[in-house]
Amino acid sequence: MSKRALLVVDLQNDYFPDGKFPLVNIGPALDNVVRVIADARARGDRIVHMRHEFPTADAPFFAPGSEGAQIHPRVEPAQGEPVIVKNRINAFLGTDLEQVFDADGIEDVTVVGAMSHMCIDAATRAASDLGYRTTVVHDACATRDLEFDGQVVPAAQVHKAYMSALAFAYAKVTTTEEYLAAPAA
């Protein structure tokens, strides 16, 4: 089995245009994730899907049992691909994700999904801190506009700021085209 894993983070219905918390450019990011998943399946890489749920039914989005908390149908897990439910931003915190990777001897982790400034950032930093060689396919990730100190920061700038920070010390940050063209490690 491959020593590579693809971590698909929080591609859930609430992040899409009809959901409760839509992201900017989620459609193009989803198209790229679909391609990365197909490649990972063809290579025999381990694929793990993360699904966030807030712990209460009155959550602003990703409420337990809601349609919005379900994984988007275009990236529905295949048989044998685990879905790990998390209640925190960091995919490793309070879950068995590290044990799943270690049981398979995973050495390389590729991260895709949402949101760039939250769960992608946290999962990438944690994977790197745990010793996995980590890659982020940045155009297979999406985020949203943020506001701080009365100023709106557009999603594109949020995304670039987070990707540049991850590329500085935590991960290789690449495009879908570059990722798919690279030979398997």
Side-chain angles (χ1 to χ4, degrees):
M1 175 174 224
S2 169
K3 300 293 183 195
R4 292 178 11 149
L6 175 63
L7 183 60
V8 183
V9 180
D10 300 350
L11 284 177
Q12 297 165 245
N13 293 327
D14 272 342
Y15 279 156
F16 290 84
D18 292 335
K20 292 183 175 183
F21 207 70
L23 304 182
V24 174
N25 290 325
I26 189 68
L30 179 67
D31 291 342
N32 287 330
V33 172
V34 168
R35 295 173 61 209
V36 172
I37 289 173
D39 179 72
R41 288 175 178 154
R43 292 182 193 224
D45 295 347
R46 174 58 124 167
I47 302 172
V48 177
H49 302 261
M50 299 306 298
R51 191 169 67 78
H52 194 114
E53 281 190 0
F54 287 103
T56 62
D58 64 345
F61 58 99
F62 295 164
S66 71
E67 182 62 28
Q70 299 308 307
I71 292 175
H72 192 278
R74 287 193 58 207
V75 290
E76 186 72 29
Q79 185 173 358
E81 294 174 0
V83 176
I84 299 175
V85 176
K86 65 184 179 70
N87 303 116
R88 296 185 173 114
I89 295 166
N90 179 343
F92 291 89
L93 187 61
T95 72
D96 64 349
L97 179 58
E98 183 180 9
Q99 290 81 11
V100 168
F101 284 168
D102 289 350
D104 289 337
I106 298 301
E107 297 172 357
D108 297 278
V109 174
T110 298
V111 182
V112 297
M115 292 187 291
S116 305
H117 72 282
M118 295 294 286
C119 299
I120 297 302
D121 179 65
T124 301
R125 290 172 188 258
S128 178
D129 287 345
L130 290 168
Y132 301 107
R133 284 186 300 271
T134 308
T135 300
V136 177
V137 183
H138 79 84
D139 59 357
C141 299
T143 195
R144 58 184 294 130
D145 296 349
L146 296 180
E147 185 177 336
F148 181 74
D149 199 24
Q151 195 168 40
V152 173
V153 182
Q157 290 178 5
V158 171
H159 182 77
K160 287 179 190 226
Y162 275 83
M163 293 301 117
S164 65
L166 292 174
F168 180 76
Y170 284 96
K172 176 181 179 183
V173 177
T174 189
T175 66
T176 299
E177 295 305 325
E178 291 167 340
Y179 183 77
L180 296 177

